[in-house]
């Protein structure tokens, strides 16, 4: 278009004209027109990294105590049933308060409802370090479970900053943080247990406090349009929706299988450390190393091997193969004679 003009423009203007033509031809103007989108993408990517590190550090603190808790409970004279109650109350508090914190975060924002539970986790771990009775240990795990109920808020945070197409990848951040937290947490717990259970508790509290500071300084608020409803509707368990889901043949079977598998795995966290102490004469360090090895193998399988196995066996065959391996592995637990067995 500039070439149509026949006016005697100055040479400096002609130079600017050539630059403008080059810009048009190379479509650089279109880049400036879409600058906002890449910047937003970078901002969201940074938030995902921050939420990953926050959950990872928090879960690492949680993972430190998982293999040590039953052994510590035995040292203060607790029965096996009391140990089971202490382990179970953590998950019970998460089950009860996950939807509550999620709903509250819709009103006041995600960031406060990530920060407050993190501080509660710090308090729970500190109470663990000073526990000398069943009641105090039980209360510490209740507070810790309440602190661990911010996972639903973290999921809502990711939903806020991702598109529908990117949401599954974003949710995978939480899964990755869980996996790595359960790998490095028990291994670190194994190391800290050499210096006493109280030190392991202080270590967990330190990691949770690091996560709290990291969130406080680095994590921006993701919810910009907060709900202003006068009534706070909270459903801990939606029976109507559950019945509708179970009535679907494929989903009903899948949920039943998932429940049985998770139920079986949950038994390991509560009973295996007790077996380790009473049957195999493991120390806290041995239990921590064992859980760390389990976490490494699980991460390796989920991270790479499962893709190759799914191509070879198919999804149904993979479920059957995994269930058989779990059945054999759990069935052999009482017959191991040492750490290698």
């Amino acid at each position: 278009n500039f070439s149509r003009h026949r006016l005697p423009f100055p040479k400096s203007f002609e130079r600017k004209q050539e630059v403008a033509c080059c810009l048009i031809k190379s479509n650089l103007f279109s880049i400036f027109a879409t600058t906002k989108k890449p910047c937003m993408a970078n901002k969201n990517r940074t938030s995902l990294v921050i939420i990953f590190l926050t959950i990872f550090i928090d879960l690492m603190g949680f993972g430190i105590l998982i293999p040590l808790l039953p052994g510590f409970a035995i040292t203060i004279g607790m029965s096996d049933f009391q140990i089971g109650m202490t382990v179970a109350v953590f998950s019970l508090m998460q089950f009860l308060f996950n939807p509550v914190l999620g709903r509250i975060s819709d009103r006041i924002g995600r960031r406060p409802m990530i920060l407050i539970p993190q501080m509660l986790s710090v308090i729970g771990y500190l109470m663990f370090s000073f526990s000398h009775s069943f009641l105090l240990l039980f209360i510490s795990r209740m507070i810790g479970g309440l602190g661990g109920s911010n996972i639903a808020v973290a999921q809502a945070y990711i939903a806020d900053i991702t598109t529908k197409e990117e949401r599954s990848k974003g949710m995978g951040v939480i899964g990755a943080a869980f996996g790595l937290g359960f790998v490095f947490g028990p291994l670190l717990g194994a190391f800290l247990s050499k210096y006493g259970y109280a030190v392991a508790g202080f270590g967990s509290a330190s990691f949770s406090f690091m996560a709290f500071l990291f969130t406080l300084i680095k994590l921006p608020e993701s919810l910009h349009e907060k709900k202003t409803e006068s009534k706070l509707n909270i459903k801990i368990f939606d029976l109507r929706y559950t019945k509708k889901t179970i009535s679907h043949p494929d989903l009903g079977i899948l949920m039943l299988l998932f429940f049985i598998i998770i139920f079986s795995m949950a038994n390991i966290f509560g009973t295996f450390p007790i077996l380790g102490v009473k049957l195999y004469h493991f120390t806290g360090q041995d239990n921590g190393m064992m859980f760390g090895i389990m976490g490494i193998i699980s991460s390796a399988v989920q991270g790479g091997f499962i893709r190759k196995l799914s191509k070879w066996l198919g999804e149904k065959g993979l479920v059957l193969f995994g269930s058989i391996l779990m059945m054999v592995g759990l069935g052999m637990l009482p017959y191991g004679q040492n750490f290698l067995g």
Side-chain angles (χ1 to χ4, degrees), residues 169-187:
K169 293 181 181 179
M171 294 301 174
V173 167
I174 294 179
F178 260 91
L180 291 173
F182 280 116
V183 170
F184 291 102
L187 291 175

Side-chain angles (χ1 to χ4, degrees), residues 195-312:
Y195 305 100
Y197 291 112
V199 174
F202 290 135
S204 295
S206 299
F207 278 106
S208 289
F209 189 66
M210 284 170 57
F212 171 81
L213 290 178
F214 198 69
T215 304
L216 183 66
I217 296 169
K218 292 289 187 180
L219 193 68
E221 178 57 60
S222 65
L223 187 65
H224 303 294
E225 295 183 5
K226 301 176 179 65
K227 292 185 178 180
T228 57
E229 299 171 0
S230 58
K231 188 178 180 182
L232 187 64
N233 293 319
I234 297 173
K235 287 187 177 180
I236 295 174
F237 188 76
D238 195 331
L239 185 61
R240 182 181 176 185
Y241 184 76
T242 303
K243 286 181 178 179
K244 185 178 179 180
T245 305
I246 293 175
S247 63
H248 193 286
D250 295 336
L251 285 177
I253 294 172
L254 189 63
M255 287 182 66
L256 179 62
L257 288 173
F258 191 72
F259 172 79
I260 293 171
I261 291 170
I262 296 299
F263 179 82
S264 301
M265 288 298 296
N267 276 287
I268 294 178
F269 293 109
T271 60
F272 181 77
I274 300 175
L275 284 175
V277 172
K278 291 189 173 182
L279 184 62
Y280 308 133
H281 307 292
F282 282 179
T283 62
Q285 186 177 4
D286 293 329
N287 275 330
M289 291 292 292
M290 188 64 73
F291 272 81
I293 292 169
M294 289 167 57
I296 291 171
I297 294 173
S298 177
S299 297
V301 171
Q302 293 182 39
F305 292 142
I306 198 166
R307 295 178 185 176
K308 296 180 180 179
L309 287 172
S310 62
K311 292 180 181 178
W312 180 40

Side-chain angles (χ1 to χ4, degrees), residues 27-306:
N27 291 322
L28 289 179
F29 287 149
S30 64
I31 293 177
F32 291 106
T34 58
T35 299
K36 187 177 180 180
K37 188 174 181 181
C39 286
M40 290 300 291
N42 289 334
K43 185 178 179 181
N44 291 346
R45 195 177 297 115
T46 302
S47 295
L48 280 175
V49 171
I50 293 171
I51 204 79
F52 166 79
L53 290 173
T54 300
I55 296 172
F56 167 65
I57 294 170
D58 205 14
L59 265 293
M60 189 158 62
F62 171 69
I64 288 173
L65 292 189
I66 281 292
L68 306 180
L69 180 61
F72 171 68
I74 291 172
T75 62
I76 61 176
M78 288 171 54
S79 66
D80 292 347
F81 180 72
Q82 288 176 324
I83 295 172
M85 288 177 62
T86 306
V87 173
V89 74
F90 187 95
S91 298
L92 177 63
M93 295 298 287
Q94 285 187 317
F95 173 76
L96 294 175
F97 284 95
N98 254 318
V100 175
L101 297 188
R103 281 289 186 178
I104 295 175
S105 74
D106 290 339
R107 287 193 167 197
I108 67 173
R110 314 297 187 202
R111 193 167 176 269
M113 298 316 298
I114 293 176
L115 285 167
I116 294 171
Q118 283 174 340
M119 186 50 66
L120 287 173
S121 293
V122 175
I123 295 170
Y125 293 138
L126 289 175
M127 284 187 65
F128 170 87
S129 297
F130 293 104
S131 294
H132 51 77
S133 65
F134 165 66
L135 181 60
L136 194 58
L137 183 60
F138 189 80
I139 293 173
S140 76
R141 298 312 290 159
M142 285 183 68
I143 296 174
L146 180 56
S149 300
N150 60 359
I151 300 300
V153 184
Q155 290 174 329
Y157 187 100
I158 291 173
D160 291 339
I161 64 173
T162 55
T163 62
K164 290 182 179 180
E165 294 76 16
E166 298 173 339
R167 195 152 297 156
S168 59
K169 293 181 181 179
M171 294 301 174
V173 167
I174 294 179
F178 260 91
L180 291 173
F182 280 116
V183 170
F184 291 102
L187 291 175
L188 187 59
F191 171 75
L192 293 176
S193 66
K194 295 189 297 183
Y195 305 100
Y197 291 112
V199 174
F202 290 135
S204 295
S206 299
F207 278 106
S208 289
F209 189 66
M210 284 170 57
F212 171 81
L213 290 178
F214 198 69
T215 304
L216 183 66
I217 296 169
K218 292 289 187 180
L219 193 68
E221 178 57 60
S222 65
L223 187 65
H224 303 294
E225 295 183 5
K226 301 176 179 65
K227 292 185 178 180
T228 57
E229 299 171 0
S230 58
K231 188 178 180 182
L232 187 64
N233 293 319
I234 297 173
K235 287 187 177 180
I236 295 174
F237 188 76
D238 195 331
L239 185 61
R240 182 181 176 185
Y241 184 76
T242 303
K243 286 181 178 179
K244 185 178 179 180
T245 305
I246 293 175
S247 63
H248 193 286
D250 295 336
L251 285 177
I253 294 172
L254 189 63
M255 287 182 66
L256 179 62
L257 288 173
F258 191 72
F259 172 79
I260 293 171
I261 291 170
I262 296 299
F263 179 82
S264 301
M265 288 298 296
N267 276 287
I268 294 178
F269 293 109
T271 60
F272 181 77
I274 300 175
L275 284 175
V277 172
K278 291 189 173 182
L279 184 62
Y280 308 133
H281 307 292
F282 282 179
T283 62
Q285 186 177 4
D286 293 329
N287 275 330
M289 291 292 292
M290 188 64 73
F291 272 81
I293 292 169
M294 289 167 57
I296 291 171
I297 294 173
S298 177
S299 297
V301 171
Q302 293 182 39
F305 292 142
I306 198 166

